[in-house]
């Protein structure tokens, strides 16, 4: 039972230490053994800390690579979305302007045409004061031509 405890706690360390004492044959083997074991413990702790630090650095490096990949994917996705938006919103300027002008002209001409077509009040003429009198047949022809020009 004691041998199991010693194997579990000291493992190969004690066997290495005793082999070193036998090989060197110091004048004070107990003190030499104590220093050797203390040095072994410090060395093993340093190795363990280095391994933990290396593991942590590797994990951080892997995370940074993943973050860089995600950032690149997001940039590509944003670029694709911008391209789609630009293609969706591209309307030739001349078509857009002419369409707006046509709609504006149609809306602004209709009330005028309707006002001209209304019957004048008794004792008044269709034309505003100071305008020459135009027979109604010629007026209808001018209205039709004006409509055609605006369409």
């Amino acid at each position: 039972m004691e041998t199991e405890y010693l194997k579990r706690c000291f493992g190969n360390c004690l066997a290495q230490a005793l082999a070193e004492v036998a090989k060197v044959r110091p004048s004070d083997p107990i003190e030499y053994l104590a220093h050797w074991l203390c040095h072994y413990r410090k060395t093993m702790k340093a190795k363990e800390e280095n391994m933990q630090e290396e593991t942590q650095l590797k994990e951080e490096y892997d995370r940074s690579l993943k973050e860089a990949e995600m950032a690149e994917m997001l940039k590509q996705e944003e670029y694709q979305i911008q391209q789609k938006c630009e293609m969706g919103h591209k309307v030739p300027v001349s078509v857009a302007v002419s369409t707006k002008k046509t709609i504006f002209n149609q809306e602004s001409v209709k009330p005028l045409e309707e006002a001209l077509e209304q019957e004048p009040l008794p004792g008044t003429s269709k034309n505003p004061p100071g305008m020459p009198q135009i027979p109604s047949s010629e007026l209808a022809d001018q209205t039709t031509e004006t409509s055609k020009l605006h369409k």
Side-chain angles (χ1 to χ4, degrees):
M1 184 102 153
E2 290 90 22
T3 56
E4 281 297 315
Y5 170 76
L6 292 175
K7 283 183 182 180
R8 189 172 32 121
C9 291
F10 291 101
N12 197 22
C13 165
L14 190 57
Q16 288 176 354
L18 292 173
E20 185 72 22
V21 170
K23 183 171 122 181
V24 174
R25 295 186 184 254
S27 59
D28 189 1
I30 295 174
E31 187 177 340
Y32 185 86
L33 179 63
H35 283 290
W36 193 94
L37 290 173
C38 186
H39 176 72
Y40 179 84
R41 182 175 179 196
K42 287 178 184 177
T43 305
M44 292 309 291
K45 275 190 173 184
K47 281 183 181 180
E48 186 179 313
E49 288 173 359
N50 285 341
M51 287 180 59
Q52 287 177 349
E53 188 175 315
E54 285 178 17
T55 303
Q56 184 180 6
L57 287 173
K58 186 176 183 328
E59 289 172 357
E60 289 176 6
Y61 178 74
D62 290 342
R63 278 193 299 260
S64 69
L65 283 178
K66 287 180 182 179
E67 287 176 6
E69 289 174 4
M70 289 297 291
E72 183 62 31
M73 287 173 53
L74 289 173
K75 283 181 183 178
Q76 289 177 353
E77 186 177 333
E78 181 180 1
Y79 178 75
Q80 290 172 352
I81 290 171
Q82 286 177 346
Q83 293 294 324
K84 288 179 183 179
C85 286
E86 288 175 4
M87 293 184 78
H89 290 351
K90 274 191 178 177
V91 176
V93 175
S94 60
V95 172
V97 170
S98 66
T99 305
K100 287 180 181 177
K101 283 182 180 178
T102 303
I103 292 170
F104 176 76
N105 287 338
Q106 288 174 352
E107 290 174 352
S108 62
V109 170
K110 285 181 184 179
L112 293 176
E113 289 176 349
E114 291 173 2
L116 288 174
E117 291 176 1
Q118 290 179 353
E119 289 293 320
L121 294 173
T124 61
S125 68
K126 285 187 176 182
N127 295 332
M131 294 295 288
Q133 295 291 329
I134 301 173
S136 60
S137 62
E138 288 180 29
L139 184 63
D141 291 339
Q142 284 182 354
T143 305
T144 307
E145 288 176 19
T146 305
S147 306
K148 289 178 184 176
L149 288 176
H150 290 294
K151 292 180 183 177

